[in-house]
Amino acid sequence: MAEKRKINPGLKLALELGPIVAFFVAYLRLRDRTFTIAGTDYQGFVLATAGFIPLLLVTTAILWVLTRHVSKMQIATAVLVVVFGGLTVWLNDERFFKMKPTAIYALFAAVLGFGLLRGKSYLQYVLDEAVPLERAGWMILTRRLMLFFVGLAILNEAIWRTMSTDAWVNFKTFGLTIAIFGFFMAQGRLFKRYGLEETGREG
């Protein structure tokens, strides 16, 4: 197995968030336009989605080349983007892409929940190097994140089904990012209580 490599955190963040920002910008520019391709009319949202799919795959590939590592969550996200984004473009129906966050967060919640039923924290396998915690801390954090993902899946369904496309795009671009950041910021007491010192980890 190839050894993981570290890259500049700013570059890593740009590769991870770049496709989302690009989708948002493309949508703002194309949302009021209709394009006729091979006799079929496509709204700007669908074309923005069509551009998002290869961009995400390219940035994920670049991330792997630079770090020799891509998490299973990133792989699952890429697969679901291809599936739901592809359905949106193929069927010319934006609803499929709007369902994508629901599927992603439901999948993550199910995987974490399955691990908890087995008495394991699958989250620890992903974040252990970045967030050293005692086992009890990992179990609590995993349980909280599982419930958080369930909440995000439900919220995404409520927003895309009851609100405008503009509202959903803003929610996807900013709301989800802020919510995830806020979730981990709110775990400060847990990190402090169950955090491990580097010396403790080495021992």
Side-chain angles (χ1 to χ4, degrees):
M1 180 179 288
E3 183 180 353
K4 295 181 184 179
R5 303 172 183 170
K6 291 185 178 181
I7 62 173
N8 183 282
L11 174 60
K12 185 174 184 293
L13 185 64
L15 289 171
E16 292 175 344
L17 297 184
I20 298 174
V21 175
F23 171 81
F24 178 73
V25 172
Y27 171 74
L28 290 182
R29 290 180 175 273
L30 303 176
R31 61 182 172 180
D32 297 324
R33 301 176 62 183
T34 300
F35 300 83
T36 301
I37 302 174
T40 301
D41 291 337
Y42 294 92
Q43 297 298 316
F45 182 96
V46 175
L47 292 189
T49 301
F52 176 79
I53 299 170
L55 182 58
L56 179 71
L57 295 178
V58 168
T59 54
T60 301
I62 292 174
L63 191 62
W64 182 84
V65 169
L66 294 177
T67 66
R68 285 294 186 265
H69 173 72
V70 175
S71 72
K72 293 179 180 179
M73 295 177 73
Q74 289 171 308
I75 294 174
T77 298
V79 170
L80 290 175
V81 164
V82 171
V83 171
F84 284 90
L87 287 172
T88 286
V89 177
W90 183 32
L91 300 177
N92 197 15
D93 188 340
E94 66 184 34
R95 292 177 298 176
F96 288 100
F97 194 64
K98 291 178 178 178
M99 294 177 192
K100 174 186 65 69
T102 301
I104 289 174
Y105 293 125
L107 174 63
F108 290 168
V111 170
L112 294 180
F114 178 73
L116 289 171
L117 289 176
R118 299 184 62 198
K120 297 181 179 180
S121 169
Y122 290 160
L123 183 65
Q124 181 177 0
Y125 300 145
V126 178
L127 297 179
D128 185 47
E129 293 183 2
V131 187
L133 294 174
E134 297 176 10
R135 182 179 185 280
W138 278 116
M139 298 301 287
I140 294 172
L141 182 61
T142 301
R143 190 176 302 111
R144 290 179 181 177
L145 189 59
M146 178 196 70
L147 295 175
F148 178 67
F149 281 150
V150 170
L152 288 183
I154 294 172
L155 183 59
N156 183 70
E157 282 296 294
I159 289 177
W160 84 259
R161 290 179 184 276
T162 64
M163 301 179 72
S164 67
T165 297
D166 281 357
W168 180 82
V169 170
N170 285 320
F171 166 71
K172 177 183 181 297
T173 304
F174 303 107
L176 290 176
T177 302
I178 292 172
I180 293 173
F181 179 77
F183 170 84
F184 282 100
M185 289 295 292
Q187 307 309 310
R189 293 183 62 183
L190 182 145
F191 295 147
K192 184 176 180 180
R193 179 176 179 182
Y194 293 100
L196 291 174
E197 299 292 338
E198 290 298 321
T199 53
R201 297 186 72 204
E202 293 172 359

PDB file of all heavy atoms in Angstrom, residues 42-66:
ATOM      1  N   TYR A  42     -32.212  22.092 -22.002  1.00  0.00           N
ATOM      2  CA  TYR A  42     -31.654  21.848 -20.674  1.00  0.00           C
ATOM      3  C   TYR A  42     -31.587  23.170 -19.904  1.00  0.00           C
ATOM      4  O   TYR A  42     -31.098  24.177 -20.428  1.00  0.00           O
ATOM      5  CB  TYR A  42     -30.248  21.259 -20.760  1.00  0.00           C
ATOM      6  CG  TYR A  42     -30.194  19.875 -21.363  1.00  0.00           C
ATOM      7  CD1 TYR A  42     -29.987  19.699 -22.736  1.00  0.00           C
ATOM      8  CD2 TYR A  42     -30.336  18.740 -20.569  1.00  0.00           C
ATOM      9  CE1 TYR A  42     -29.933  18.432 -23.300  1.00  0.00           C
ATOM     10  CE2 TYR A  42     -30.279  17.473 -21.126  1.00  0.00           C
ATOM     11  CZ  TYR A  42     -30.081  17.327 -22.479  1.00  0.00           C
ATOM     12  OH  TYR A  42     -30.029  16.063 -23.035  1.00  0.00           O
ATOM     13  N   GLN A  43     -32.053  23.136 -18.666  1.00  0.00           N
ATOM     14  CA  GLN A  43     -31.944  24.302 -17.808  1.00  0.00           C
ATOM     15  C   GLN A  43     -30.499  24.440 -17.305  1.00  0.00           C
ATOM     16  O   GLN A  43     -29.731  23.477 -17.296  1.00  0.00           O
ATOM     17  CB  GLN A  43     -32.897  24.181 -16.613  1.00  0.00           C
ATOM     18  CG  GLN A  43     -34.369  24.124 -17.005  1.00  0.00           C
ATOM     19  CD  GLN A  43     -34.817  25.395 -17.712  1.00  0.00           C
ATOM     20  OE1 GLN A  43     -34.483  26.504 -17.295  1.00  0.00           O
ATOM     21  NE2 GLN A  43     -35.585  25.242 -18.790  1.00  0.00           N
ATOM     22  N   GLY A  44     -30.161  25.644 -16.857  1.00  0.00           N
ATOM     23  CA  GLY A  44     -28.816  25.905 -16.367  1.00  0.00           C
ATOM     24  C   GLY A  44     -28.403  24.998 -15.227  1.00  0.00           C
ATOM     25  O   GLY A  44     -27.232  24.601 -15.119  1.00  0.00           O
ATOM     26  N   PHE A  45     -29.360  24.632 -14.358  1.00  0.00           N
ATOM     27  CA  PHE A  45     -29.055  23.756 -13.229  1.00  0.00           C
ATOM     28  C   PHE A  45     -28.489  22.420 -13.717  1.00  0.00           C
ATOM     29  O   PHE A  45     -27.521  21.896 -13.156  1.00  0.00           O
ATOM     30  CB  PHE A  45     -30.315  23.515 -12.393  1.00  0.00           C
ATOM     31  CG  PHE A  45     -30.094  22.655 -11.184  1.00  0.00           C
ATOM     32  CD1 PHE A  45     -29.873  23.226  -9.939  1.00  0.00           C
ATOM     33  CD2 PHE A  45     -30.103  21.270 -11.276  1.00  0.00           C
ATOM     34  CE1 PHE A  45     -29.666  22.432  -8.817  1.00  0.00           C
ATOM     35  CE2 PHE A  45     -29.886  20.471 -10.168  1.00  0.00           C
ATOM     36  CZ  PHE A  45     -29.671  21.058  -8.936  1.00  0.00           C
ATOM     37  N   VAL A  46     -29.091  21.882 -14.754  1.00  0.00           N
ATOM     38  CA  VAL A  46     -28.656  20.586 -15.267  1.00  0.00           C
ATOM     39  C   VAL A  46     -27.251  20.687 -15.857  1.00  0.00           C
ATOM     40  O   VAL A  46     -26.405  19.807 -15.649  1.00  0.00           O
ATOM     41  CB  VAL A  46     -29.648  20.058 -16.322  1.00  0.00           C
ATOM     42  CG1 VAL A  46     -29.138  18.762 -16.943  1.00  0.00           C
ATOM     43  CG2 VAL A  46     -31.019  19.829 -15.686  1.00  0.00           C
ATOM     44  N   LEU A  47     -26.964  21.772 -16.565  1.00  0.00           N
ATOM     45  CA  LEU A  47     -25.623  21.944 -17.135  1.00  0.00           C
ATOM     46  C   LEU A  47     -24.583  22.176 -16.040  1.00  0.00           C
ATOM     47  O   LEU A  47     -23.446  21.702 -16.156  1.00  0.00           O
ATOM     48  CB  LEU A  47     -25.620  23.100 -18.129  1.00  0.00           C
ATOM     49  CG  LEU A  47     -26.413  22.871 -19.421  1.00  0.00           C
ATOM     50  CD1 LEU A  47     -26.159  23.999 -20.406  1.00  0.00           C
ATOM     51  CD2 LEU A  47     -26.056  21.532 -20.057  1.00  0.00           C
ATOM     52  N   ALA A  48     -24.961  22.908 -14.999  1.00  0.00           N
ATOM     53  CA  ALA A  48     -24.037  23.095 -13.874  1.00  0.00           C
ATOM     54  C   ALA A  48     -23.730  21.748 -13.227  1.00  0.00           C
ATOM     55  O   ALA A  48     -22.594  21.479 -12.827  1.00  0.00           O
ATOM     56  CB  ALA A  48     -24.644  24.055 -12.857  1.00  0.00           C
ATOM     57  N   THR A  49     -24.739  20.897 -13.139  1.00  0.00           N
ATOM     58  CA  THR A  49     -24.543  19.550 -12.596  1.00  0.00           C
ATOM     59  C   THR A  49     -23.631  18.733 -13.497  1.00  0.00           C
ATOM     60  O   THR A  49     -22.745  18.012 -13.019  1.00  0.00           O
ATOM     61  CB  THR A  49     -25.903  18.832 -12.453  1.00  0.00           C
ATOM     62  OG1 THR A  49     -26.749  19.581 -11.580  1.00  0.00           O
ATOM     63  CG2 THR A  49     -25.721  17.425 -11.905  1.00  0.00           C
ATOM     64  N   ALA A  50     -23.826  18.855 -14.800  1.00  0.00           N
ATOM     65  CA  ALA A  50     -22.991  18.110 -15.754  1.00  0.00           C
ATOM     66  C   ALA A  50     -21.528  18.509 -15.624  1.00  0.00           C
ATOM     67  O   ALA A  50     -20.637  17.665 -15.798  1.00  0.00           O
ATOM     68  CB  ALA A  50     -23.487  18.362 -17.179  1.00  0.00           C
ATOM     69  N   GLY A  51     -21.269  19.769 -15.327  1.00  0.00           N
ATOM     70  CA  GLY A  51     -19.887  20.199 -15.142  1.00  0.00           C
ATOM     71  C   GLY A  51     -19.316  19.797 -13.798  1.00  0.00           C
ATOM     72  O   GLY A  51     -18.105  19.559 -13.660  1.00  0.00           O
ATOM     73  N   PHE A  52     -20.194  19.690 -12.795  1.00  0.00           N
ATOM     74  CA  PHE A  52     -19.755  19.352 -11.439  1.00  0.00           C
ATOM     75  C   PHE A  52     -19.210  17.927 -11.364  1.00  0.00           C
ATOM     76  O   PHE A  52     -18.234  17.660 -10.657  1.00  0.00           O
ATOM     77  CB  PHE A  52     -20.932  19.521 -10.473  1.00  0.00           C
ATOM     78  CG  PHE A  52     -20.639  19.121  -9.066  1.00  0.00           C
ATOM     79  CD1 PHE A  52     -19.931  19.961  -8.220  1.00  0.00           C
ATOM     80  CD2 PHE A  52     -21.083  17.901  -8.560  1.00  0.00           C
ATOM     81  CE1 PHE A  52     -19.666  19.602  -6.912  1.00  0.00           C
ATOM     82  CE2 PHE A  52     -20.823  17.534  -7.255  1.00  0.00           C
ATOM     83  CZ  PHE A  52     -20.108  18.382  -6.426  1.00  0.00           C
ATOM     84  N   ILE A  53     -19.820  17.013 -12.096  1.00  0.00           N
ATOM     85  CA  ILE A  53     -19.439  15.594 -12.006  1.00  0.00           C
ATOM     86  C   ILE A  53     -17.975  15.361 -12.384  1.00  0.00           C
ATOM     87  O   ILE A  53     -17.203  14.823 -11.572  1.00  0.00           O
ATOM     88  CB  ILE A  53     -20.376  14.724 -12.864  1.00  0.00           C
ATOM     89  CG1 ILE A  53     -21.815  14.850 -12.373  1.00  0.00           C
ATOM     90  CG2 ILE A  53     -19.930  13.258 -12.821  1.00  0.00           C
ATOM     91  CD1 ILE A  53     -22.833  14.214 -13.309  1.00  0.00           C
ATOM     92  N   PRO A  54     -17.531  15.741 -13.598  1.00  0.00           N
ATOM     93  CA  PRO A  54     -16.126  15.492 -13.929  1.00  0.00           C
ATOM     94  C   PRO A  54     -15.163  16.314 -13.082  1.00  0.00           C
ATOM     95  O   PRO A  54     -14.052  15.852 -12.788  1.00  0.00           O
ATOM     96  CB  PRO A  54     -16.037  15.892 -15.407  1.00  0.00           C
ATOM     97  CG  PRO A  54     -17.178  16.815 -15.629  1.00  0.00           C
ATOM     98  CD  PRO A  54     -18.268  16.325 -14.733  1.00  0.00           C
ATOM     99  N   LEU A  55     -15.585  17.521 -12.670  1.00  0.00           N
ATOM    100  CA  LEU A  55     -14.707  18.350 -11.842  1.00  0.00           C
ATOM    101  C   LEU A  55     -14.441  17.672 -10.506  1.00  0.00           C
ATOM    102  O   LEU A  55     -13.294  17.646 -10.024  1.00  0.00           O
ATOM    103  CB  LEU A  55     -15.335  19.725 -11.622  1.00  0.00           C
ATOM    104  CG  LEU A  55     -14.505  20.721 -10.803  1.00  0.00           C
ATOM    105  CD1 LEU A  55     -13.145  20.950 -11.456  1.00  0.00           C
ATOM    106  CD2 LEU A  55     -15.253  22.032 -10.647  1.00  0.00           C
ATOM    107  N   LEU A  56     -15.480  17.096  -9.904  1.00  0.00           N
ATOM    108  CA  LEU A  56     -15.285  16.387  -8.636  1.00  0.00           C
ATOM    109  C   LEU A  56     -14.377  15.186  -8.815  1.00  0.00           C
ATOM    110  O   LEU A  56     -13.494  14.924  -7.986  1.00  0.00           O
ATOM    111  CB  LEU A  56     -16.639  15.941  -8.072  1.00  0.00           C
ATOM    112  CG  LEU A  56     -16.540  15.163  -6.759  1.00  0.00           C
ATOM    113  CD1 LEU A  56     -16.145  16.093  -5.609  1.00  0.00           C
ATOM    114  CD2 LEU A  56     -17.846  14.450  -6.428  1.00  0.00           C
ATOM    115  N   LEU A  57     -14.557  14.452  -9.904  1.00  0.00           N
ATOM    116  CA  LEU A  57     -13.718  13.279 -10.149  1.00  0.00           C
ATOM    117  C   LEU A  57     -12.271  13.685 -10.362  1.00  0.00           C
ATOM    118  O   LEU A  57     -11.350  13.011  -9.873  1.00  0.00           O
ATOM    119  CB  LEU A  57     -14.248  12.510 -11.356  1.00  0.00           C
ATOM    120  CG  LEU A  57     -15.637  11.872 -11.204  1.00  0.00           C
ATOM    121  CD1 LEU A  57     -16.053  11.190 -12.495  1.00  0.00           C
ATOM    122  CD2 LEU A  57     -15.664  10.893 -10.046  1.00  0.00           C
ATOM    123  N   VAL A  58     -12.050  14.783 -11.071  1.00  0.00           N
ATOM    124  CA  VAL A  58     -10.682  15.254 -11.327  1.00  0.00           C
ATOM    125  C   VAL A  58     -10.011  15.704 -10.035  1.00  0.00           C
ATOM    126  O   VAL A  58      -8.858  15.337  -9.761  1.00  0.00           O
ATOM    127  CB  VAL A  58     -10.691  16.407 -12.354  1.00  0.00           C
ATOM    128  CG1 VAL A  58      -9.326  17.099 -12.398  1.00  0.00           C
ATOM    129  CG2 VAL A  58     -11.045  15.874 -13.740  1.00  0.00           C
ATOM    130  N   THR A  59     -10.708  16.496  -9.216  1.00  0.00           N
ATOM    131  CA  THR A  59     -10.105  16.968  -7.967  1.00  0.00           C
ATOM    132  C   THR A  59      -9.868  15.805  -6.999  1.00  0.00           C
ATOM    133  O   THR A  59      -8.875  15.807  -6.276  1.00  0.00           O
ATOM    134  CB  THR A  59     -10.989  18.029  -7.289  1.00  0.00           C
ATOM    135  OG1 THR A  59     -12.319  17.520  -7.106  1.00  0.00           O
ATOM    136  CG2 THR A  59     -11.055  19.294  -8.132  1.00  0.00           C
ATOM    137  N   THR A  60     -10.737  14.814  -7.001  1.00  0.00           N
ATOM    138  CA  THR A  60     -10.524  13.628  -6.162  1.00  0.00           C
ATOM    139  C   THR A  60      -9.300  12.865  -6.631  1.00  0.00           C
ATOM    140  O   THR A  60      -8.492  12.395  -5.816  1.00  0.00           O
ATOM    141  CB  THR A  60     -11.759  12.710  -6.189  1.00  0.00           C
ATOM    142  OG1 THR A  60     -12.908  13.433  -5.717  1.00  0.00           O
ATOM    143  CG2 THR A  60     -11.548  11.493  -5.295  1.00  0.00           C
ATOM    144  N   ALA A  61      -9.132  12.749  -7.948  1.00  0.00           N
ATOM    145  CA  ALA A  61      -7.962  12.067  -8.500  1.00  0.00           C
ATOM    146  C   ALA A  61      -6.682  12.831  -8.168  1.00  0.00           C
ATOM    147  O   ALA A  61      -5.657  12.229  -7.811  1.00  0.00           O
ATOM    148  CB  ALA A  61      -8.110  11.910 -10.012  1.00  0.00           C
ATOM    149  N   ILE A  62      -6.728  14.158  -8.275  1.00  0.00           N
ATOM    150  CA  ILE A  62      -5.561  14.973  -7.932  1.00  0.00           C
ATOM    151  C   ILE A  62      -5.207  14.794  -6.465  1.00  0.00           C
ATOM    152  O   ILE A  62      -4.032  14.673  -6.095  1.00  0.00           O
ATOM    153  CB  ILE A  62      -5.826  16.459  -8.246  1.00  0.00           C
ATOM    154  CG1 ILE A  62      -5.940  16.674  -9.752  1.00  0.00           C
ATOM    155  CG2 ILE A  62      -4.714  17.337  -7.674  1.00  0.00           C
ATOM    156  CD1 ILE A  62      -6.354  18.081 -10.136  1.00  0.00           C
ATOM    157  N   LEU A  63      -6.230  14.764  -5.616  1.00  0.00           N
ATOM    158  CA  LEU A  63      -6.009  14.568  -4.178  1.00  0.00           C
ATOM    159  C   LEU A  63      -5.327  13.235  -3.923  1.00  0.00           C
ATOM    160  O   LEU A  63      -4.411  13.135  -3.096  1.00  0.00           O
ATOM    161  CB  LEU A  63      -7.343  14.651  -3.435  1.00  0.00           C
ATOM    162  CG  LEU A  63      -7.290  14.736  -1.914  1.00  0.00           C
ATOM    163  CD1 LEU A  63      -6.561  15.999  -1.474  1.00  0.00           C
ATOM    164  CD2 LEU A  63      -8.698  14.718  -1.330  1.00  0.00           C
ATOM    165  N   TRP A  64      -5.745  12.210  -4.643  1.00  0.00           N
ATOM    166  CA  TRP A  64      -5.118  10.893  -4.469  1.00  0.00           C
ATOM    167  C   TRP A  64      -3.669  10.909  -4.946  1.00  0.00           C
ATOM    168  O   TRP A  64      -2.782  10.355  -4.297  1.00  0.00           O
ATOM    169  CB  TRP A  64      -5.896   9.822  -5.230  1.00  0.00           C
ATOM    170  CG  TRP A  64      -5.311   8.461  -5.020  1.00  0.00           C
ATOM    171  CD1 TRP A  64      -5.533   7.601  -3.984  1.00  0.00           C
ATOM    172  CD2 TRP A  64      -4.343   7.819  -5.860  1.00  0.00           C
ATOM    173  NE1 TRP A  64      -4.786   6.464  -4.128  1.00  0.00           N
ATOM    174  CE2 TRP A  64      -4.046   6.570  -5.268  1.00  0.00           C
ATOM    175  CE3 TRP A  64      -3.722   8.176  -7.057  1.00  0.00           C
ATOM    176  CZ2 TRP A  64      -3.143   5.678  -5.837  1.00  0.00           C
ATOM    177  CZ3 TRP A  64      -2.811   7.294  -7.624  1.00  0.00           C
ATOM    178  CH2 TRP A  64      -2.542   6.058  -7.023  1.00  0.00           C
ATOM    179  N   VAL A  65      -3.418  11.549  -6.083  1.00  0.00           N
ATOM    180  CA  VAL A  65      -2.055  11.611  -6.623  1.00  0.00           C
ATOM    181  C   VAL A  65      -1.127  12.332  -5.649  1.00  0.00           C
ATOM    182  O   VAL A  65       0.018  11.907  -5.424  1.00  0.00           O
ATOM    183  CB  VAL A  65      -2.048  12.318  -7.997  1.00  0.00           C
ATOM    184  CG1 VAL A  65      -0.613  12.618  -8.441  1.00  0.00           C
ATOM    185  CG2 VAL A  65      -2.748  11.454  -9.036  1.00  0.00           C
ATOM    186  N   LEU A  66      -1.620  13.413  -5.050  1.00  0.00           N
ATOM    187  CA  LEU A  66      -0.782  14.213  -4.158  1.00  0.00           C
ATOM    188  C   LEU A  66      -0.595  13.571  -2.789  1.00  0.00           C
ATOM    189  O   LEU A  66       0.462  13.718  -2.173  1.00  0.00           O
ATOM    190  CB  LEU A  66      -1.384  15.612  -3.985  1.00  0.00           C
ATOM    191  CG  LEU A  66      -1.415  16.499  -5.236  1.00  0.00           C
ATOM    192  CD1 LEU A  66      -2.098  17.817  -4.927  1.00  0.00           C
ATOM    193  CD2 LEU A  66      -0.003  16.743  -5.758  1.00  0.00           C
TER     194      LEU A  66
END
